[in-house]
Amino acid sequence: MIVRIFGLSAVVTVAALVAAFLYQGWTGLALCAILGVLEVSLSFDNAVINATVLERMSLFWQRMFLTIGVIIAVFGMRLVFPLAIVWITGGLNPVEAFDLAMNPPAGGAETFPDGSPSYETILTDAHPQIAAFGGMFLLLLFLNFVLANRDLTWLSWIERPLGRLGRLDQLSVALAAILLVVVAEYLVPDDGRSTVLISGLLGLITYILVDGLSSLFQQEQPGGGEAVAEPTPAAGPTRGPTPVTVAAGKAGFFMFLYLEVLDASFSFDGVIGAFAITPDPILIALGLGFIGAMFVRSITIYLVRQGTLGEYRYLEHGAHWAIGALAVILLLSIHFHINEVVTGLVGVAFIGASLVSSVRANRRDQRRKQERAAVGATR
């Protein structure tokens, strides 16, 4: 199974490294490898969240996520998206934006001798709008999770009170909107406040629309009936997720769209952070896209096929807390510079802690089961 799931990613990785070597020699190969490792380390929480959505989708839409979704992730978010930002904010046409990206100022300067900004400078200047959109989208995802009243909690001391507060309708939207106003008021200069507010509002609207439409069509299929329950394939008799409602048709499409927007929100900080390593868009596409995005998708499929989310009960909780931390970091990065290593370590810390808690809980349950069996045998 591991070879089947990760085989294509491994082949693509080798091809990307060879392309980077042919493009810029050993330096290009090293930069491409570093970018790939950066993307995987920053996006493991993305893979966990993707898996929670993907296991509710049919095999057809899972394959779409691994094919069409990869094309969108690699070329759309890691190559076209940065160029599109430069097209829009820099007032350049696509050809001029690409030429600007491929010909940076000498010596890594932020501007050319005539005073015009570089590709990296234009993209960096657009970071507040990008961070506001992505931060609001991810924040709503986090809030809707922790404000839900759940039987299973990880950080019970805070998740249970939040779950009770979540009975107030639309509390997540209200909290996200309040935080957006606070950020715009205290972290954004006057001349950029309206842009950040609009971008953040668009992030809120995008989440509400995409999540709402996917939920609507998942509850009721085009024929008027409920979605059909279909178990996701498992690796063995004791592995794999329990039978879940599999979305098809319009529900599957909107969940696929939701996944792509979610992946885009996660990739914002990675794309911007990649410029600290290299401004070359070709190397960024090879490292973040062909290597990083491919492996993140393979990890997602592996989690679904192995039933890891069911086996490690708190893993989903840890991933959502990591998302909440990432959302806050994105919003703070509008004003403060936060190293990408910090972002990655925070996510790894939450997921690692939830994994350890899951293992301990499984062992505790196993001991109790053995104790009950021993008591029953002595009677």
Side-chain angles (χ1 to χ4, degrees):
M1 172 177 285
I2 293 179
V3 174
R4 186 169 65 252
I5 293 176
F6 288 94
L8 179 59
S9 295
V11 171
V12 171
T13 296
V14 173
L17 292 174
V18 170
F21 176 77
L22 295 176
Y23 177 59
Q24 280 196 6
W26 290 109
T27 300
L29 187 148
L31 291 174
C32 182
I34 292 171
L35 289 170
V37 172
L38 173 68
E39 178 71 3
V40 174
S41 63
L42 288 176
S43 300
F44 188 78
D45 49 355
N46 186 10
V48 176
I49 296 300
N50 285 349
T52 66
V53 179
L54 203 64
E55 68 178 2
R56 304 199 305 272
M57 298 170 69
S58 66
L59 290 176
F60 170 79
W61 285 108
Q62 289 183 10
R63 295 189 185 102
M64 290 291 288
F65 177 71
L66 285 176
T67 52
I68 304 300
V70 167
I71 295 174
I72 295 174
V74 173
F75 294 100
M77 285 309 303
R78 274 74 178 184
L79 182 61
V80 177
F81 171 71
L83 288 171
I85 292 176
V86 177
W87 302 342
I88 297 170
T89 61
L92 306 174
N93 63 48
V95 175
E96 291 173 336
F98 185 76
D99 181 68
L100 186 65
M102 297 303 297
N103 298 282
E110 295 183 355
T111 60
F112 289 92
D114 62 358
S116 59
S118 67
Y119 175 84
E120 180 182 357
T121 300
I122 295 175
L123 191 60
T124 302
D125 289 342
H127 175 72
Q129 300 95 291
I130 299 170
F133 180 94
M136 284 297 103
F137 186 93
L138 295 177
L139 183 63
L140 262 187
L141 174 62
F142 165 72
L143 290 175
N144 280 335
F145 180 84
V146 297
L147 292 175
N149 196 10
R150 302 176 183 277
D151 294 330
L152 177 65
T153 57
W154 176 41
L155 303 177
S156 300
W157 58 275
I158 187 172
E159 289 182 6
R160 286 177 181 171
L162 288 174
R164 289 192 290 269
L165 287 174
R167 295 171 185 171
L168 179 61
D169 192 33
Q170 300 302 319
L171 179 60
S172 60
V173 177
L175 291 176
I178 291 171
L179 183 57
L180 175 61
V181 172
V182 171
V183 169
E185 178 66 25
Y186 294 103
L187 299 184
V188 182
D190 292 341
D191 58 349
R193 188 168 298 154
S194 60
T195 305
V196 167
L197 283 172
I198 292 173
S199 299
L201 183 60
L202 289 175
L204 289 173
I205 293 172
T206 301
Y207 178 87
I208 293 171
L209 285 178
V210 177
D211 181 63
L213 287 170
S214 64
S215 299
L216 173 66
F217 286 108
Q218 187 178 353
Q219 292 171 4
E220 187 172 348
Q221 295 301 304
E226 294 297 315
V228 180
E230 175 184 310
T232 303
T238 60
R239 289 189 175 186
T242 57
V244 293
T245 300
V246 176
K250 291 181 180 179
F253 170 75
F254 282 109
M255 292 181 74
F256 171 78
L257 183 61
Y258 173 85
L259 276 176
E260 292 306 315
V261 178
L262 179 63
D263 179 72
S265 299
F266 271 99
S267 67
F268 288 153
D269 61 326
V271 171
I272 299 297
F275 281 91
I277 298 173
T278 175
D280 192 305
I282 303 299
L283 290 178
I284 290 176
L286 289 172
L288 297 187
F290 284 94
I291 298 178
M294 282 294 297
F295 265 102
V296 169
R297 273 157 173 70
S298 294
I299 293 171
T300 299
I301 291 296
Y302 180 80
L303 293 175
V304 173
R305 296 287 186 265
Q306 290 292 97
T308 305
L309 298 179
E311 183 177 354
Y312 300 102
R313 65 190 73 177
Y314 301 126
L315 195 58
E316 183 179 1
H317 293 72
H320 277 90
W321 279 101
I323 285 175
L326 175 59
V328 172
I329 288 173
L330 277 173
L331 294 174
L332 290 176
S333 69
I334 293 175
H335 182 76
F336 304 100
H337 172 71
I338 301 175
N339 194 286
E340 291 74 25
V341 175
V342 174
T343 305
L345 288 178
V346 169
V348 170
F350 274 114
I351 292 176
S354 65
L355 184 61
V356 171
S357 297
S358 299
V359 172
R360 289 178 176 174
N362 290 341
R363 290 177 178 174
R364 183 171 60 250
D365 290 347
Q366 185 64 26
R367 284 197 302 269
R368 290 175 179 172
K369 183 178 180 180
Q370 292 173 351
E371 290 171 358
R372 287 194 297 266
V375 171
T378 57
R379 291 181 178 176

